[in-house]
Amino acid sequence: RISALFPDADDRVPLEMSGLLMLLIARLTRENSVRQGERSLPQVRQDVIATARTVINERYAQDLSLRTLAEEVHLNPNYFHRIFTAACGMTPLAYLTEVRISHAKFLLRNTDRSVTEIAGQCGFSSYNYFCTVFRKAVGLSPSAFRDRANRIYDGVR
């Protein structure tokens, strides 16, 4: 129905819109489940989680350790790890990795930067480590992901 609103669009528009809608639904579902998990925590912990997530989202390219994040919110690293995991359904490191991979996917789709450059810009210490983590998260190497994204955009499968 949405693609019918754009009669001058080419054949790949419905596919792109479907993909974007699926991503939106997945994000909204994830955010909703995270918020429901946060409701069960006392108010002060919700503030801590929000602060930690903001730090990760803004400084993902830097070297962020559990200790660094815990210091940012003035908590013991073990306690911080426990409440973050309870609130978000994943460890702080898993959340950081998800944010880094998300930014890497964006850069791979939308820039011509080298994979090595993207790895560094997204906070990965080495090209090899980036490729390993990316393949585990996405199921493709960064180069294969870029090639597939470009083929879909160009209308080739």
Side-chain angles (χ1 to χ4, degrees):
R1 286 187 205 162
I2 293 173
S3 63
L5 298 173
F6 302 95
D8 296 333
D10 57 26
D11 292 338
R12 63 179 186 246
V13 170
L15 178 63
E16 290 175 25
M17 287 184 178
S18 296
L20 291 171
L21 286 172
M22 294 302 288
L23 287 170
L24 177 63
I25 290 168
R27 276 236 168 124
L28 290 173
T29 303
R30 188 176 332 140
E31 286 294 320
N32 188 38
S33 65
V34 167
R35 285 192 181 117
Q36 286 176 351
E38 288 175 354
R39 283 189 204 126
S40 64
L41 296 173
Q43 182 63 38
V44 80
R45 292 192 180 107
Q46 288 182 32
D47 294 344
V48 165
I49 300 306
T51 300
R53 289 174 62 170
T54 298
V55 168
I56 291 170
N57 288 325
E58 291 176 354
R59 295 177 23 202
Y60 65 90
Q62 298 175 9
D63 184 23
L64 292 176
S65 66
L66 178 63
R67 180 176 303 281
T68 303
L69 291 169
E71 287 171 359
E72 286 286 332
V73 294
H74 312 291
L75 291 176
N76 170 286
N78 292 329
Y79 180 66
F80 168 70
H81 185 275
R82 196 165 62 242
I83 67 167
F84 188 97
T85 303
C88 297
M90 66 178 72
T91 66
L93 178 60
Y95 183 80
L96 172 62
T97 301
E98 188 175 279
V99 169
R100 287 176 170 170
I101 294 296
S102 176
H103 284 278
K105 286 165 55 176
F106 175 82
L107 292 172
L108 287 165
R109 271 192 230 103
N110 298 296
T111 70
D112 291 330
R113 295 178 190 148
S114 71
V115 174
T116 303
E117 189 177 353
I118 290 172
Q121 288 178 336
C122 292
F124 290 94
S125 56
S126 75
Y127 169 83
N128 289 334
Y129 179 64
F130 170 64
C131 290
T132 300
V133 171
F134 192 93
R135 183 183 299 272
K136 183 177 178 185
V138 179
L140 297 168
S141 69
S143 298
F145 176 85
R146 174 179 269 166
D147 290 343
R148 180 175 282 177
N150 288 338
R151 279 197 318 268
I152 289 172
Y153 182 76
D154 292 337
V156 179
R157 297 198 197 262

mmCIF file with all atom_site columns, all heavy atoms in Angstrom, residues 7 14-16 34 36 42 49 66 71 79-80 82 89 100-101 103 106-107 111-112 119 130 132 134:
data_model
loop_
_atom_site.group_PDB
_atom_site.id
_atom_site.type_symbol
_atom_site.label_atom_id
_atom_site.label_alt_id
_atom_site.label_comp_id
_atom_site.label_asym_id
_atom_site.label_entity_id
_atom_site.label_seq_id
_atom_site.pdbx_PDB_ins_code
_atom_site.Cartn_x
_atom_site.Cartn_y
_atom_site.Cartn_z
_atom_site.occupancy
_atom_site.B_iso_or_equiv
_atom_site.pdbx_formal_charge
_atom_site.auth_seq_id
_atom_site.auth_comp_id
_atom_site.auth_asym_id
_atom_site.auth_atom_id
_atom_site.pdbx_PDB_model_num
ATOM 1   N N   . PRO A 1 7   ? 3.813  6.466   -7.351  1.00 0.00 ? 7   PRO A N   1
ATOM 2   C CA  . PRO A 1 7   ? 3.627  5.818   -8.655  1.00 0.00 ? 7   PRO A CA  1
ATOM 3   C C   . PRO A 1 7   ? 4.811  5.966   -9.601  1.00 0.00 ? 7   PRO A C   1
ATOM 4   O O   . PRO A 1 7   ? 4.990  5.148   -10.487 1.00 0.00 ? 7   PRO A O   1
ATOM 5   C CB  . PRO A 1 7   ? 2.386  6.514   -9.231  1.00 0.00 ? 7   PRO A CB  1
ATOM 6   C CG  . PRO A 1 7   ? 2.302  7.812   -8.497  1.00 0.00 ? 7   PRO A CG  1
ATOM 7   C CD  . PRO A 1 7   ? 2.911  7.578   -7.140  1.00 0.00 ? 7   PRO A CD  1
ATOM 8   N N   . PRO A 1 14  ? 9.460  -0.810  -3.476  1.00 0.00 ? 14  PRO A N   1
ATOM 9   C CA  . PRO A 1 14  ? 8.718  -1.635  -2.507  1.00 0.00 ? 14  PRO A CA  1
ATOM 10  C C   . PRO A 1 14  ? 9.641  -2.495  -1.644  1.00 0.00 ? 14  PRO A C   1
ATOM 11  O O   . PRO A 1 14  ? 9.408  -2.639  -0.447  1.00 0.00 ? 14  PRO A O   1
ATOM 12  C CB  . PRO A 1 14  ? 7.820  -2.508  -3.395  1.00 0.00 ? 14  PRO A CB  1
ATOM 13  C CG  . PRO A 1 14  ? 7.674  -1.741  -4.664  1.00 0.00 ? 14  PRO A CG  1
ATOM 14  C CD  . PRO A 1 14  ? 8.978  -1.003  -4.836  1.00 0.00 ? 14  PRO A CD  1
ATOM 15  N N   . LEU A 1 15  ? 10.695 -3.035  -2.235  1.00 0.00 ? 15  LEU A N   1
ATOM 16  C CA  . LEU A 1 15  ? 11.645 -3.843  -1.477  1.00 0.00 ? 15  LEU A CA  1
ATOM 17  C C   . LEU A 1 15  ? 12.359 -2.999  -0.433  1.00 0.00 ? 15  LEU A C   1
ATOM 18  O O   . LEU A 1 15  ? 12.481 -3.399  0.722   1.00 0.00 ? 15  LEU A O   1
ATOM 19  C CB  . LEU A 1 15  ? 12.657 -4.491  -2.419  1.00 0.00 ? 15  LEU A CB  1
ATOM 20  C CG  . LEU A 1 15  ? 13.751 -5.328  -1.748  1.00 0.00 ? 15  LEU A CG  1
ATOM 21  C CD1 . LEU A 1 15  ? 13.126 -6.506  -1.025  1.00 0.00 ? 15  LEU A CD1 1
ATOM 22  C CD2 . LEU A 1 15  ? 14.746 -5.799  -2.783  1.00 0.00 ? 15  LEU A CD2 1
ATOM 23  N N   . GLU A 1 16  ? 12.824 -1.819  -0.825  1.00 0.00 ? 16  GLU A N   1
ATOM 24  C CA  . GLU A 1 16  ? 13.504 -0.937  0.118   1.00 0.00 ? 16  GLU A CA  1
ATOM 25  C C   . GLU A 1 16  ? 12.571 -0.527  1.243   1.00 0.00 ? 16  GLU A C   1
ATOM 26  O O   . GLU A 1 16  ? 12.956 -0.521  2.409   1.00 0.00 ? 16  GLU A O   1
ATOM 27  C CB  . GLU A 1 16  ? 14.024 0.311   -0.598  1.00 0.00 ? 16  GLU A CB  1
ATOM 28  C CG  . GLU A 1 16  ? 15.175 0.045   -1.532  1.00 0.00 ? 16  GLU A CG  1
ATOM 29  C CD  . GLU A 1 16  ? 15.583 1.284   -2.311  1.00 0.00 ? 16  GLU A CD  1
ATOM 30  O OE1 . GLU A 1 16  ? 15.336 2.413   -1.845  1.00 0.00 ? 16  GLU A OE1 1
ATOM 31  O OE2 . GLU A 1 16  ? 16.171 1.122   -3.385  1.00 0.00 ? 16  GLU A OE2 1
ATOM 32  N N   . VAL A 1 34  ? 12.979 -3.408  26.082  1.00 0.00 ? 34  VAL A N   1
ATOM 33  C CA  . VAL A 1 34  ? 13.967 -2.824  26.991  1.00 0.00 ? 34  VAL A CA  1
ATOM 34  C C   . VAL A 1 34  ? 13.272 -1.924  27.999  1.00 0.00 ? 34  VAL A C   1
ATOM 35  O O   . VAL A 1 34  ? 13.540 -1.983  29.196  1.00 0.00 ? 34  VAL A O   1
ATOM 36  C CB  . VAL A 1 34  ? 15.051 -2.034  26.206  1.00 0.00 ? 34  VAL A CB  1
ATOM 37  C CG1 . VAL A 1 34  ? 15.882 -1.176  27.131  1.00 0.00 ? 34  VAL A CG1 1
ATOM 38  C CG2 . VAL A 1 34  ? 15.928 -2.998  25.437  1.00 0.00 ? 34  VAL A CG2 1
ATOM 39  N N   . GLN A 1 36  ? 10.188 -2.099  29.039  1.00 0.00 ? 36  GLN A N   1
ATOM 40  C CA  . GLN A 1 36  ? 9.430  -2.908  29.979  1.00 0.00 ? 36  GLN A CA  1
ATOM 41  C C   . GLN A 1 36  ? 10.353 -3.490  31.034  1.00 0.00 ? 36  GLN A C   1
ATOM 42  O O   . GLN A 1 36  ? 10.008 -3.543  32.205  1.00 0.00 ? 36  GLN A O   1
ATOM 43  C CB  . GLN A 1 36  ? 8.690  -4.021  29.251  1.00 0.00 ? 36  GLN A CB  1
ATOM 44  C CG  . GLN A 1 36  ? 7.499  -3.527  28.475  1.00 0.00 ? 36  GLN A CG  1
ATOM 45  C CD  . GLN A 1 36  ? 6.823  -4.634  27.683  1.00 0.00 ? 36  GLN A CD  1
ATOM 46  O OE1 . GLN A 1 36  ? 7.324  -5.746  27.579  1.00 0.00 ? 36  GLN A OE1 1
ATOM 47  N NE2 . GLN A 1 36  ? 5.670  -4.306  27.112  1.00 0.00 ? 36  GLN A NE2 1
ATOM 48  N N   . PRO A 1 42  ? 14.326 0.151   40.042  1.00 0.00 ? 42  PRO A N   1
ATOM 49  C CA  . PRO A 1 42  ? 14.089 1.431   40.708  1.00 0.00 ? 42  PRO A CA  1
ATOM 50  C C   . PRO A 1 42  ? 14.519 2.593   39.812  1.00 0.00 ? 42  PRO A C   1
ATOM 51  O O   . PRO A 1 42  ? 15.357 2.447   38.925  1.00 0.00 ? 42  PRO A O   1
ATOM 52  C CB  . PRO A 1 42  ? 14.990 1.345   41.943  1.00 0.00 ? 42  PRO A CB  1
ATOM 53  C CG  . PRO A 1 42  ? 15.246 -0.101  42.153  1.00 0.00 ? 42  PRO A CG  1
ATOM 54  C CD  . PRO A 1 42  ? 15.183 -0.733  40.797  1.00 0.00 ? 42  PRO A CD  1
ATOM 55  N N   . ILE A 1 49  ? 21.132 3.313   33.645  1.00 0.00 ? 49  ILE A N   1
ATOM 56  C CA  . ILE A 1 49  ? 21.093 2.589   32.375  1.00 0.00 ? 49  ILE A CA  1
ATOM 57  C C   . ILE A 1 49  ? 21.008 3.576   31.213  1.00 0.00 ? 49  ILE A C   1
ATOM 58  O O   . ILE A 1 49  ? 21.713 3.441   30.210  1.00 0.00 ? 49  ILE A O   1
ATOM 59  C CB  . ILE A 1 49  ? 19.916 1.593   32.334  1.00 0.00 ? 49  ILE A CB  1
ATOM 60  C CG1 . ILE A 1 49  ? 20.042 0.552   33.459  1.00 0.00 ? 49  ILE A CG1 1
ATOM 61  C CG2 . ILE A 1 49  ? 19.801 0.926   30.974  1.00 0.00 ? 49  ILE A CG2 1
ATOM 62  C CD1 . ILE A 1 49  ? 21.348 -0.200  33.509  1.00 0.00 ? 49  ILE A CD1 1
ATOM 63  N N   . LEU A 1 66  ? 34.295 -2.205  30.527  1.00 0.00 ? 66  LEU A N   1
ATOM 64  C CA  . LEU A 1 66  ? 33.290 -2.290  31.587  1.00 0.00 ? 66  LEU A CA  1
ATOM 65  C C   . LEU A 1 66  ? 33.653 -1.335  32.715  1.00 0.00 ? 66  LEU A C   1
ATOM 66  O O   . LEU A 1 66  ? 32.797 -0.617  33.237  1.00 0.00 ? 66  LEU A O   1
ATOM 67  C CB  . LEU A 1 66  ? 33.187 -3.726  32.104  1.00 0.00 ? 66  LEU A CB  1
ATOM 68  C CG  . LEU A 1 66  ? 32.204 -3.948  33.248  1.00 0.00 ? 66  LEU A CG  1
ATOM 69  C CD1 . LEU A 1 66  ? 30.778 -3.637  32.801  1.00 0.00 ? 66  LEU A CD1 1
ATOM 70  C CD2 . LEU A 1 66  ? 32.312 -5.363  33.762  1.00 0.00 ? 66  LEU A CD2 1
ATOM 71  N N   . GLU A 1 71  ? 32.616 3.513   35.776  1.00 0.00 ? 71  GLU A N   1
ATOM 72  C CA  . GLU A 1 71  ? 33.089 4.776   36.345  1.00 0.00 ? 71  GLU A CA  1
ATOM 73  C C   . GLU A 1 71  ? 32.229 5.946   35.894  1.00 0.00 ? 71  GLU A C   1
ATOM 74  O O   . GLU A 1 71  ? 31.990 6.876   36.659  1.00 0.00 ? 71  GLU A O   1
ATOM 75  C CB  . GLU A 1 71  ? 34.557 5.012   35.969  1.00 0.00 ? 71  GLU A CB  1
ATOM 76  C CG  . GLU A 1 71  ? 35.526 4.118   36.709  1.00 0.00 ? 71  GLU A CG  1
ATOM 77  C CD  . GLU A 1 71  ? 36.947 4.210   36.186  1.00 0.00 ? 71  GLU A CD  1
ATOM 78  O OE1 . GLU A 1 71  ? 37.209 4.970   35.216  1.00 0.00 ? 71  GLU A OE1 1
ATOM 79  O OE2 . GLU A 1 71  ? 37.824 3.510   36.741  1.00 0.00 ? 71  GLU A OE2 1
ATOM 80  N N   . TYR A 1 79  ? 28.499 -4.735  39.759  1.00 0.00 ? 79  TYR A N   1
ATOM 81  C CA  . TYR A 1 79  ? 27.119 -4.325  39.991  1.00 0.00 ? 79  TYR A CA  1
ATOM 82  C C   . TYR A 1 79  ? 26.543 -3.672  38.730  1.00 0.00 ? 79  TYR A C   1
ATOM 83  O O   . TYR A 1 79  ? 25.415 -3.957  38.323  1.00 0.00 ? 79  TYR A O   1
ATOM 84  C CB  . TYR A 1 79  ? 27.039 -3.370  41.183  1.00 0.00 ? 79  TYR A CB  1
ATOM 85  C CG  . TYR A 1 79  ? 25.638 -2.903  41.490  1.00 0.00 ? 79  TYR A CG  1
ATOM 86  C CD1 . TYR A 1 79  ? 24.669 -3.799  41.933  1.00 0.00 ? 79  TYR A CD1 1
ATOM 87  C CD2 . TYR A 1 79  ? 25.286 -1.569  41.333  1.00 0.00 ? 79  TYR A CD2 1
ATOM 88  C CE1 . TYR A 1 79  ? 23.380 -3.379  42.214  1.00 0.00 ? 79  TYR A CE1 1
ATOM 89  C CE2 . TYR A 1 79  ? 24.001 -1.133  41.598  1.00 0.00 ? 79  TYR A CE2 1
ATOM 90  C CZ  . TYR A 1 79  ? 23.050 -2.045  42.043  1.00 0.00 ? 79  TYR A CZ  1
ATOM 91  O OH  . TYR A 1 79  ? 21.776 -1.620  42.307  1.00 0.00 ? 79  TYR A OH  1
ATOM 92  N N   . PHE A 1 80  ? 27.332 -2.822  38.108  1.00 0.00 ? 80  PHE A N   1
ATOM 93  C CA  . PHE A 1 80  ? 26.887 -2.179  36.873  1.00 0.00 ? 80  PHE A CA  1
ATOM 94  C C   . PHE A 1 80  ? 26.562 -3.219  35.809  1.00 0.00 ? 80  PHE A C   1
ATOM 95  O O   . PHE A 1 80  ? 25.529 -3.149  35.143  1.00 0.00 ? 80  PHE A O   1
ATOM 96  C CB  . PHE A 1 80  ? 27.950 -1.201  36.362  1.00 0.00 ? 80  PHE A CB  1
ATOM 97  C CG  . PHE A 1 80  ? 27.676 -0.719  34.963  1.00 0.00 ? 80  PHE A CG  1
ATOM 98  C CD1 . PHE A 1 80  ? 26.618 0.132   34.706  1.00 0.00 ? 80  PHE A CD1 1
ATOM 99  C CD2 . PHE A 1 80  ? 28.459 -1.149  33.906  1.00 0.00 ? 80  PHE A CD2 1
ATOM 100 C CE1 . PHE A 1 80  ? 26.344 0.555   33.411  1.00 0.00 ? 80  PHE A CE1 1
ATOM 101 C CE2 . PHE A 1 80  ? 28.196 -0.727  32.617  1.00 0.00 ? 80  PHE A CE2 1
ATOM 102 C CZ  . PHE A 1 80  ? 27.132 0.127   32.368  1.00 0.00 ? 80  PHE A CZ  1
ATOM 103 N N   . ARG A 1 82  ? 25.666 -6.284  36.198  1.00 0.00 ? 82  ARG A N   1
ATOM 104 C CA  . ARG A 1 82  ? 24.463 -7.021  36.582  1.00 0.00 ? 82  ARG A CA  1
ATOM 105 C C   . ARG A 1 82  ? 23.188 -6.221  36.291  1.00 0.00 ? 82  ARG A C   1
ATOM 106 O O   . ARG A 1 82  ? 22.243 -6.745  35.714  1.00 0.00 ? 82  ARG A O   1
ATOM 107 C CB  . ARG A 1 82  ? 24.538 -7.404  38.067  1.00 0.00 ? 82  ARG A CB  1
ATOM 108 C CG  . ARG A 1 82  ? 23.559 -8.471  38.449  1.00 0.00 ? 82  ARG A CG  1
ATOM 109 C CD  . ARG A 1 82  ? 23.846 -9.111  39.801  1.00 0.00 ? 82  ARG A CD  1
ATOM 110 N NE  . ARG A 1 82  ? 23.770 -8.154  40.892  1.00 0.00 ? 82  ARG A NE  1
ATOM 111 C CZ  . ARG A 1 82  ? 24.791 -7.834  41.686  1.00 0.00 ? 82  ARG A CZ  1
ATOM 112 N NH1 . ARG A 1 82  ? 25.971 -8.394  41.507  1.00 0.00 ? 82  ARG A NH1 1
ATOM 113 N NH2 . ARG A 1 82  ? 24.642 -6.969  42.661  1.00 0.00 ? 82  ARG A NH2 1
ATOM 114 N N   . GLY A 1 89  ? 18.725 -6.769  28.771  1.00 0.00 ? 89  GLY A N   1
ATOM 115 C CA  . GLY A 1 89  ? 18.667 -8.107  28.190  1.00 0.00 ? 89  GLY A CA  1
ATOM 116 C C   . GLY A 1 89  ? 19.937 -8.518  27.479  1.00 0.00 ? 89  GLY A C   1
ATOM 117 O O   . GLY A 1 89  ? 19.970 -9.503  26.765  1.00 0.00 ? 89  GLY A O   1
ATOM 118 N N   . ARG A 1 100 ? 28.317 -0.708  17.573  1.00 0.00 ? 100 ARG A N   1
ATOM 119 C CA  . ARG A 1 100 ? 29.435 -0.613  16.626  1.00 0.00 ? 100 ARG A CA  1
ATOM 120 C C   . ARG A 1 100 ? 29.110 -1.277  15.294  1.00 0.00 ? 100 ARG A C   1
ATOM 121 O O   . ARG A 1 100 ? 29.396 -0.722  14.223  1.00 0.00 ? 100 ARG A O   1
ATOM 122 C CB  . ARG A 1 100 ? 30.688 -1.245  17.235  1.00 0.00 ? 100 ARG A CB  1
ATOM 123 C CG  . ARG A 1 100 ? 31.311 -0.401  18.317  1.00 0.00 ? 100 ARG A CG  1
ATOM 124 C CD  . ARG A 1 100 ? 32.482 -1.099  18.974  1.00 0.00 ? 100 ARG A CD  1
ATOM 125 N NE  . ARG A 1 100 ? 33.202 -0.174  19.846  1.00 0.00 ? 100 ARG A NE  1
ATOM 126 C CZ  . ARG A 1 100 ? 34.146 -0.537  20.692  1.00 0.00 ? 100 ARG A CZ  1
ATOM 127 N NH1 . ARG A 1 100 ? 34.510 -1.814  20.783  1.00 0.00 ? 100 ARG A NH1 1
ATOM 128 N NH2 . ARG A 1 100 ? 34.745 0.359   21.441  1.00 0.00 ? 100 ARG A NH2 1
ATOM 129 N N   . ILE A 1 101 ? 28.503 -2.443  15.341  1.00 0.00 ? 101 ILE A N   1
ATOM 130 C CA  . ILE A 1 101 ? 28.141 -3.163  14.116  1.00 0.00 ? 101 ILE A CA  1
ATOM 131 C C   . ILE A 1 101 ? 27.089 -2.380  13.338  1.00 0.00 ? 101 ILE A C   1
ATOM 132 O O   . ILE A 1 101 ? 27.148 -2.282  12.108  1.00 0.00 ? 101 ILE A O   1
ATOM 133 C CB  . ILE A 1 101 ? 27.659 -4.598  14.429  1.00 0.00 ? 101 ILE A CB  1
ATOM 134 C CG1 . ILE A 1 101 ? 28.804 -5.442  14.991  1.00 0.00 ? 101 ILE A CG1 1
ATOM 135 C CG2 . ILE A 1 101 ? 27.025 -5.252  13.215  1.00 0.00 ? 101 ILE A CG2 1
ATOM 136 C CD1 . ILE A 1 101 ? 29.951 -5.682  14.024  1.00 0.00 ? 101 ILE A CD1 1
ATOM 137 N N   . HIS A 1 103 ? 26.678 0.873   13.256  1.00 0.00 ? 103 HIS A N   1
ATOM 138 C CA  . HIS A 1 103 ? 27.361 1.986   12.590  1.00 0.00 ? 103 HIS A CA  1
ATOM 139 C C   . HIS A 1 103 ? 28.217 1.491   11.419  1.00 0.00 ? 103 HIS A C   1
ATOM 140 O O   . HIS A 1 103 ? 28.264 2.130   10.375  1.00 0.00 ? 103 HIS A O   1
ATOM 141 C CB  . HIS A 1 103 ? 28.207 2.779   13.584  1.00 0.00 ? 103 HIS A CB  1
ATOM 142 C CG  . HIS A 1 103 ? 27.390 3.664   14.465  1.00 0.00 ? 103 HIS A CG  1
ATOM 143 N ND1 . HIS A 1 103 ? 26.939 4.898   14.076  1.00 0.00 ? 103 HIS A ND1 1
ATOM 144 C CD2 . HIS A 1 103 ? 26.918 3.480   15.716  1.00 0.00 ? 103 HIS A CD2 1
ATOM 145 C CE1 . HIS A 1 103 ? 26.232 5.444   15.044  1.00 0.00 ? 103 HIS A CE1 1
ATOM 146 N NE2 . HIS A 1 103 ? 26.193 4.588   16.053  1.00 0.00 ? 103 HIS A NE2 1
ATOM 147 N N   . PHE A 1 106 ? 26.002 0.831   8.468   1.00 0.00 ? 106 PHE A N   1
ATOM 148 C CA  . PHE A 1 106 ? 25.618 2.095   7.838   1.00 0.00 ? 106 PHE A CA  1
ATOM 149 C C   . PHE A 1 106 ? 26.746 2.613   6.949   1.00 0.00 ? 106 PHE A C   1
ATOM 150 O O   . PHE A 1 106 ? 26.520 3.001   5.806   1.00 0.00 ? 106 PHE A O   1
ATOM 151 C CB  . PHE A 1 106 ? 25.258 3.134   8.904   1.00 0.00 ? 106 PHE A CB  1
ATOM 152 C CG  . PHE A 1 106 ? 24.966 4.487   8.321   1.00 0.00 ? 106 PHE A CG  1
ATOM 153 C CD1 . PHE A 1 106 ? 23.714 4.766   7.796   1.00 0.00 ? 106 PHE A CD1 1
ATOM 154 C CD2 . PHE A 1 106 ? 25.950 5.465   8.271   1.00 0.00 ? 106 PHE A CD2 1
ATOM 155 C CE1 . PHE A 1 106 ? 23.444 6.020   7.237   1.00 0.00 ? 106 PHE A CE1 1
ATOM 156 C CE2 . PHE A 1 106 ? 25.692 6.708   7.708   1.00 0.00 ? 106 PHE A CE2 1
ATOM 157 C CZ  . PHE A 1 106 ? 24.434 6.986   7.192   1.00 0.00 ? 106 PHE A CZ  1
ATOM 158 N N   . LEU A 1 107 ? 27.970 2.611   7.476   1.00 0.00 ? 107 LEU A N   1
ATOM 159 C CA  . LEU A 1 107 ? 29.105 3.113   6.708   1.00 0.00 ? 107 LEU A CA  1
ATOM 160 C C   . LEU A 1 107 ? 29.399 2.238   5.488   1.00 0.00 ? 107 LEU A C   1
ATOM 161 O O   . LEU A 1 107 ? 29.748 2.747   4.418   1.00 0.00 ? 107 LEU A O   1
ATOM 162 C CB  . LEU A 1 107 ? 30.346 3.231   7.601   1.00 0.00 ? 107 LEU A CB  1
ATOM 163 C CG  . LEU A 1 107 ? 30.275 4.299   8.689   1.00 0.00 ? 107 LEU A CG  1
ATOM 164 C CD1 . LEU A 1 107 ? 31.477 4.191   9.630   1.00 0.00 ? 107 LEU A CD1 1
ATOM 165 C CD2 . LEU A 1 107 ? 30.193 5.688   8.087   1.00 0.00 ? 107 LEU A CD2 1
ATOM 166 N N   . THR A 1 111 ? 29.060 4.623   2.272   1.00 0.00 ? 111 THR A N   1
ATOM 167 C CA  . THR A 1 111 ? 30.323 5.288   1.959   1.00 0.00 ? 111 THR A CA  1
ATOM 168 C C   . THR A 1 111 ? 31.200 4.368   1.121   1.00 0.00 ? 111 THR A C   1
ATOM 169 O O   . THR A 1 111 ? 30.931 3.173   0.998   1.00 0.00 ? 111 THR A O   1
ATOM 170 C CB  . THR A 1 111 ? 31.111 5.668   3.243   1.00 0.00 ? 111 THR A CB  1
ATOM 171 O OG1 . THR A 1 111 ? 31.608 4.469   3.859   1.00 0.00 ? 111 THR A OG1 1
ATOM 172 C CG2 . THR A 1 111 ? 30.263 6.455   4.215   1.00 0.00 ? 111 THR A CG2 1
ATOM 173 N N   . ASP A 1 112 ? 32.260 4.939   0.601   1.00 0.00 ? 112 ASP A N   1
ATOM 174 C CA  . ASP A 1 112 ? 33.250 4.160   -0.143  1.00 0.00 ? 112 ASP A CA  1
ATOM 175 C C   . ASP A 1 112 ? 34.512 3.946   0.681   1.00 0.00 ? 112 ASP A C   1
ATOM 176 O O   . ASP A 1 112 ? 35.542 3.542   0.139   1.00 0.00 ? 112 ASP A O   1
ATOM 177 C CB  . ASP A 1 112 ? 33.616 4.886   -1.448  1.00 0.00 ? 112 ASP A CB  1
ATOM 178 C CG  . ASP A 1 112 ? 32.463 4.895   -2.431  1.00 0.00 ? 112 ASP A CG  1
ATOM 179 O OD1 . ASP A 1 112 ? 31.649 3.950   -2.404  1.00 0.00 ? 112 ASP A OD1 1
ATOM 180 O OD2 . ASP A 1 112 ? 32.364 5.851   -3.228  1.00 0.00 ? 112 ASP A OD2 1
ATOM 181 N N   . ALA A 1 119 ? 36.497 -0.092  10.251  1.00 0.00 ? 119 ALA A N   1
ATOM 182 C CA  . ALA A 1 119 ? 36.773 -0.817  11.493  1.00 0.00 ? 119 ALA A CA  1
ATOM 183 C C   . ALA A 1 119 ? 37.311 0.136   12.560  1.00 0.00 ? 119 ALA A C   1
ATOM 184 O O   . ALA A 1 119 ? 36.844 0.138   13.701  1.00 0.00 ? 119 ALA A O   1
ATOM 185 C CB  . ALA A 1 119 ? 37.766 -1.947  11.239  1.00 0.00 ? 119 ALA A CB  1
ATOM 186 N N   . PHE A 1 130 ? 37.551 -6.987  13.738  1.00 0.00 ? 130 PHE A N   1
ATOM 187 C CA  . PHE A 1 130 ? 36.321 -6.429  13.181  1.00 0.00 ? 130 PHE A CA  1
ATOM 188 C C   . PHE A 1 130 ? 35.646 -7.439  12.257  1.00 0.00 ? 130 PHE A C   1
ATOM 189 O O   . PHE A 1 130 ? 34.437 -7.675  12.354  1.00 0.00 ? 130 PHE A O   1
ATOM 190 C CB  . PHE A 1 130 ? 36.624 -5.129  12.428  1.00 0.00 ? 130 PHE A CB  1
ATOM 191 C CG  . PHE A 1 130 ? 35.466 -4.615  11.615  1.00 0.00 ? 130 PHE A CG  1
ATOM 192 C CD1 . PHE A 1 130 ? 34.287 -4.209  12.225  1.00 0.00 ? 130 PHE A CD1 1
ATOM 193 C CD2 . PHE A 1 130 ? 35.563 -4.532  10.237  1.00 0.00 ? 130 PHE A CD2 1
ATOM 194 C CE1 . PHE A 1 130 ? 33.216 -3.735  11.467  1.00 0.00 ? 130 PHE A CE1 1
ATOM 195 C CE2 . PHE A 1 130 ? 34.507 -4.041  9.473   1.00 0.00 ? 130 PHE A CE2 1
ATOM 196 C CZ  . PHE A 1 130 ? 33.331 -3.654  10.094  1.00 0.00 ? 130 PHE A CZ  1
ATOM 197 N N   . THR A 1 132 ? 35.915 -10.671 12.150  1.00 0.00 ? 132 THR A N   1
ATOM 198 C CA  . THR A 1 132 ? 35.414 -11.807 12.919  1.00 0.00 ? 132 THR A CA  1
ATOM 199 C C   . THR A 1 132 ? 34.109 -11.464 13.618  1.00 0.00 ? 132 THR A C   1
ATOM 200 O O   . THR A 1 132 ? 33.134 -12.219 13.544  1.00 0.00 ? 132 THR A O   1
ATOM 201 C CB  . THR A 1 132 ? 36.473 -12.251 13.963  1.00 0.00 ? 132 THR A CB  1
ATOM 202 O OG1 . THR A 1 132 ? 37.661 -12.621 13.276  1.00 0.00 ? 132 THR A OG1 1
ATOM 203 C CG2 . THR A 1 132 ? 35.973 -13.407 14.800  1.00 0.00 ? 132 THR A CG2 1
ATOM 204 N N   . PHE A 1 134 ? 32.034 -8.950  12.954  1.00 0.00 ? 134 PHE A N   1
ATOM 205 C CA  . PHE A 1 134 ? 31.016 -8.600  11.964  1.00 0.00 ? 134 PHE A CA  1
ATOM 206 C C   . PHE A 1 134 ? 30.400 -9.864  11.370  1.00 0.00 ? 134 PHE A C   1
ATOM 207 O O   . PHE A 1 134 ? 29.178 -9.980  11.272  1.00 0.00 ? 134 PHE A O   1
ATOM 208 C CB  . PHE A 1 134 ? 31.626 -7.734  10.854  1.00 0.00 ? 134 PHE A CB  1
ATOM 209 C CG  . PHE A 1 134 ? 30.599 -7.105  9.958   1.00 0.00 ? 134 PHE A CG  1
ATOM 210 C CD1 . PHE A 1 134 ? 30.121 -5.838  10.232  1.00 0.00 ? 134 PHE A CD1 1
ATOM 211 C CD2 . PHE A 1 134 ? 30.118 -7.776  8.842   1.00 0.00 ? 134 PHE A CD2 1
ATOM 212 C CE1 . PHE A 1 134 ? 29.169 -5.241  9.414   1.00 0.00 ? 134 PHE A CE1 1
ATOM 213 C CE2 . PHE A 1 134 ? 29.167 -7.194  8.013   1.00 0.00 ? 134 PHE A CE2 1
ATOM 214 C CZ  . PHE A 1 134 ? 28.683 -5.924  8.299   1.00 0.00 ? 134 PHE A CZ  1
#
